[in-house]
């Protein structure tokens, strides 16, 4: 081949007309096939020019040349082809809000400890206490750390098996995690409702409660890396290399035992609830649903180290009877509806006790139907800031049974 021929082959000026001719040919064949199909569908006759291929041959050529045929064939081979659309830039931006440990993704803003205290009192203290120390609803946020921990970067109380409770600040190793969680999940009844500056302020207030920053501190995206250097448990992370290997050793010791398994009483005692916290949130057994394999411990009684066959049979029988509609008790209905997760009969938990609800509304005209509507549709502001979600999945008749049971006089 001559050099001029090589230049013609490589030059885009010569390639473009050839591509254009190919497109024209493909469109021509496709248009001819469309005319042929139209003629057949309407009963008309298509005229075949002298020397042109027969209609069947033209249709075959059209299918071969038409690029849309290949696309359709590919779409039929891939089940999800053609479903959905690419996400827009604004949609990706709204979803991509995570903040990394190196603070990439952290938006600009600022918040003082003083401003954080105001937001905390208004939106956070109801669940976490004024100073973040309450365990009435959730695990304490603050407590268990010392000035020595801030200096060393290790929380000494994490090594104690007799320490009452591990707070958030005891375990927190990255301040970005705290900031990110507050932003996306708090307050509990209105997540993502805090402004960026309010997130900075609440984070600053928590850090002040743990003596990480002073009372006059203002947290910003420019100084948050300095705060990271003072977290009590900043060096608490450990890297377990075998977890990154397929053939690595697991980080827990397990075996295939399914029955008559040996139990180490010492390890069981360490893993159990301390006595002072055992009944802090009501009876755990009453708060578990009766479906599934999990049964909560009866925290109204001392810990049990075993469960014999007779007790297992009795539990299975009680579960079976509770599933029969005409034999279900109001307590069983309330447990199945997960009411016991937030309420107890005689003690305030996340919501008021059933005894207090009955005492407030008992004897009022039409109160039963009013409470049925509130349980069904949800309500807020009646017993504090924590709302009661809607319970649309519970049958109205079951709700009436539960409400009438709550309104019974328990004096």
């Amino acid at each position: 081949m001559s050099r001029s021929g090589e230049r013609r082959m490589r030059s885009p000026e010569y390639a473009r007309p050839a591509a254009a001719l190919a497109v024209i040919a493909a469109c021509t064949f496709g248009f001819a096939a469309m005319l042929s199909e139209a003629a057949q569908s309407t009963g008309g006759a298509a005229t075949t020019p002298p020397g042109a291929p027969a209609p069947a041959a033209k249709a075959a050529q059209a299918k071969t040349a038409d690029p849309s045929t290949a696309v359709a064939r590919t779409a039929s081979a891939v089940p999800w082809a053609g479903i959905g659309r690419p996400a827009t830039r604004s949609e990706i931006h709204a979803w991509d809000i995570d903040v990394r440990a190196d603070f990439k993704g952290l938006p600009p803003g600022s918040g003082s400890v003083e401003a954080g205290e105001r937001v905390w009192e208004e939106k956070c203290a109801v669940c976490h206490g004024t100073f973040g120390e309450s365990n009435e609803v959730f695990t304490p946020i603050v407590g268990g750390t010392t000035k020595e921990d801030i200096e060393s970067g290790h929380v000494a109380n994490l090594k104690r098996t007799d320490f009452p409770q591990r707070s958030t600040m005891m375990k927190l190793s990255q301040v970005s995690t705290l900031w990110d969680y507050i932003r996306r999940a708090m307050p509990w009844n209105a997540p993502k409702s805090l402004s960026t500056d309010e997130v900075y302020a609440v984070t600053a207030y928590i850090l002040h409660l743990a003596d990480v920053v002073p009372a006059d501190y203002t947290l910003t995206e420019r100084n948050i890396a300095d705060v990271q250097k003072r977290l009590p448990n900043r060096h608490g992370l450990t890297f377990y290399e075998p977890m990154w290997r397929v053939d690595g050793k697991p980080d827990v010791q397990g075996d295939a035992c399914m029955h008559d398994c040996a139990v180490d009483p010492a390890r069981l005692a360490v893993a159990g609830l301390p006595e002072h916290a055992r009944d802090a949130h009501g009876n755990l057994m009453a708060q578990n649903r009766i479906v599934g394999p999990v049964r909560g411990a009866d925290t109204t009684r001392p810990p049990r180290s075993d469960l014999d066959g007779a007790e297992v049979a009795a539990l299975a029988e009680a579960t079976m009877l509770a599933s029969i509609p005409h034999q279900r008790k109001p307590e069983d209905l309330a447990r199945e509806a997960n009411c016991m997760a937030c309420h107890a009969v005689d003690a305030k938990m996340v919501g008021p006790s059933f005894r207090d609800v009955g005492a407030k509304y008992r004897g009022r005209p039409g109160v039963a139907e009013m409470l049925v509507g509130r349980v069904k549709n949800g309500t807020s502001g009646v017993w504090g800031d924590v709302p009661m979600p809607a319970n649309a999945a519970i049958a109205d008749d079951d709700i009436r049974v539960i409400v009438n049971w709550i309104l019974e006089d328990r004096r």
Side-chain angles (χ1 to χ4, degrees):
M1 183 182 290
S2 65
R3 293 184 179 274
S4 60
E6 290 178 352
R7 284 195 295 271
R8 282 196 295 271
M9 293 296 293
R10 295 171 182 170
S11 173
E13 284 78 14
Y14 291 94
R16 287 181 187 135
L21 287 173
V23 172
I24 292 171
C27 294
T28 301
F29 282 123
F31 186 66
M34 290 170 59
L35 289 176
S36 175
E37 292 174 0
Q40 292 175 6
S41 63
T42 58
T47 303
T48 304
K58 288 194 294 181
Q61 292 173 352
K63 289 181 180 179
T64 303
D66 189 357
S68 65
T69 305
V71 173
R73 189 180 300 114
T74 302
S76 63
V78 182
W80 54 85
I83 298 177
R85 59 170 177 77
T88 64
R89 185 180 297 274
S90 60
E91 288 171 338
I92 295 174
H93 180 73
W95 170 78
D96 186 19
I97 64 171
D98 63 296
V99 179
R100 298 188 338 190
D102 58 0
F103 303 110
K104 293 292 180 62
L106 184 69
S110 65
S112 65
V113 172
E114 183 180 1
E117 183 179 16
R118 290 194 296 269
V119 177
W120 184 273
E121 287 290 342
E122 179 184 352
K123 302 180 178 181
C124 312
V126 64
C127 289
H128 299 293
T130 302
F131 303 107
E133 82 296 349
S134 174
N135 68 344
E136 183 177 358
V137 179
F138 300 108
T139 303
I141 293 179
V142 177
T145 59
T146 65
K147 293 182 179 180
E148 289 75 19
D149 298 336
I150 295 176
E151 294 296 324
S152 67
H154 289 279
V155 176
N157 283 328
L158 287 176
K159 299 180 180 179
R160 291 175 50 188
T161 59
D162 62 336
F163 194 77
Q165 200 163 24
R166 297 183 176 187
S167 67
T168 299
M169 287 303 301
M170 287 174 64
K171 298 178 287 185
L172 185 70
S173 61
Q174 303 290 335
V175 70
S176 59
T177 303
L178 180 64
W179 197 101
D180 183 81
Y181 184 79
I182 294 172
R183 181 194 195 187
R184 68 174 65 242
M186 292 290 111
W188 180 77
N189 60 332
K192 295 184 181 178
S193 63
L194 297 179
S195 67
T196 299
D197 287 347
E198 285 177 327
V199 176
Y200 274 105
V202 171
T203 305
Y205 180 66
I206 293 174
L207 293 170
H208 168 63
L209 292 177
D211 295 324
V212 176
V213 299
D216 59 353
Y217 196 79
T218 298
L219 184 66
T220 71
E221 82 280 3
R222 297 181 300 276
N223 61 17
I224 195 169
D226 298 329
V227 175
Q228 171 65 35
K229 299 174 183 177
R230 287 180 51 80
L231 278 190
N233 196 43
R234 62 187 178 276
H235 299 317
L237 287 177
T238 57
F239 177 71
Y240 192 75
E241 191 271 341
M243 290 289 289
W244 290 78
R245 303 197 334 246
V246 175
D247 60 344
K249 182 180 178 182
D251 62 338
V252 295
Q253 298 303 313
D255 54 47
C257 180
M258 299 298 291
H259 58 85
D260 299 329
C261 304
V263 178
D264 184 352
R267 292 181 61 185
L268 186 63
V270 172
L273 290 171
E275 190 60 34
H276 68 273
R278 184 169 176 79
D279 198 26
H281 296 282
N283 187 359
L284 296 182
M285 178 174 285
Q287 298 170 35
N288 278 104
R289 298 179 181 181
I290 63 171
V291 295
V294 178
R295 297 290 181 271
D298 186 351
T299 53
T300 63
R301 301 178 180 180
R304 300 165 61 182
S305 59
D306 61 346
L307 192 66
D308 60 31
E311 290 173 311
V312 172
L315 178 60
E317 182 180 2
T319 302
M320 179 188 67
L321 292 176
S323 66
I324 302 175
H326 70 274
Q327 292 188 353
R328 284 186 297 179
K329 299 178 181 179
E331 299 94 323
D332 298 326
L333 290 174
R335 190 175 299 110
E336 291 174 26
N338 214 23
C339 302
M340 299 299 191
C342 294
H343 301 277
V345 175
D346 298 314
K348 180 184 181 300
M349 293 175 58
V350 178
S353 69
F354 290 146
R355 182 186 295 274
D356 290 342
V357 175
K360 179 175 181 177
Y361 294 107
R362 189 181 302 112
R364 296 187 185 183
V367 70
E369 287 303 312
M370 183 266 291
L371 291 178
V372 168
R374 288 185 177 180
V375 173
K376 188 76 173 179
N377 302 314
T379 185
S380 62
V382 179
W383 293 90
D385 295 332
V386 180
M388 181 176 68
N391 295 277
I394 309 175
D396 290 354
D397 290 342
D398 289 346
I399 295 179
R400 288 188 179 89
V401 172
I402 296 172
V403 167
N404 290 331
W405 171 65
I406 293 174
L407 292 174
E408 290 178 0
D409 194 344
R410 291 184 172 82
R411 291 177 295 180

